[in-house]
Amino acid sequence: MGWFVQHPERILALGAVYVLAFAAMRAGPARDRAGALLVPALYCAFFAAWEWLVLVRTPDADIRVDLLLIWPGLLILTAWSIWRIFRR
């Protein structure tokens, strides 16, 4: 998880992976469930914007309490979207 801290471009790359997976699923037989992948993609976009703002405003921030809310949210949304895609 430290790989994403202070690197909004990496967070956007993760969001792009979700969008690419959405496009791939949209072309397949599970097209009606593909929209679930856009939720974590949007979350990644907001997270990247937040990370950029923190990086610009407080570049020397050592203790990031906000990540205690952001990371579980991303993990829960990712797990939910994967469950939603593979559920029949």
Side-chain angles (χ1 to χ4, degrees), residues 21-51:
F22 165 76
M25 291 213 41
R26 199 74 176 138
R31 69 177 51 102
D32 56 335
R33 297 183 304 247
L37 287 172
L38 292 180
V39 175
L42 287 173
Y43 191 86
C44 283
F46 287 121
F47 178 32
W50 175 256
E51 195 66 31

Side-chain angles (χ1 to χ4, degrees), residues 44-58:
C44 283
F46 287 121
F47 178 32
W50 175 256
E51 195 66 31
W52 177 81
L53 185 66
V54 168
L55 188 62
V56 169
R57 302 285 273 169
T58 57

Side-chain angles (χ1 to χ4, degrees), residues 27-84:
R31 69 177 51 102
D32 56 335
R33 297 183 304 247
L37 287 172
L38 292 180
V39 175
L42 287 173
Y43 191 86
C44 283
F46 287 121
F47 178 32
W50 175 256
E51 195 66 31
W52 177 81
L53 185 66
V54 168
L55 188 62
V56 169
R57 302 285 273 169
T58 57
D60 56 342
D62 290 353
I63 300 173
R64 299 277 309 276
V65 178
D66 58 332
L67 295 176
L68 293 174
L69 296 174
I70 293 172
W71 282 113
L74 182 60
L75 292 175
I76 288 169
L77 285 176
T78 300
W80 172 81
S81 65
I82 291 171
W83 175 77
R84 180 108 166 109

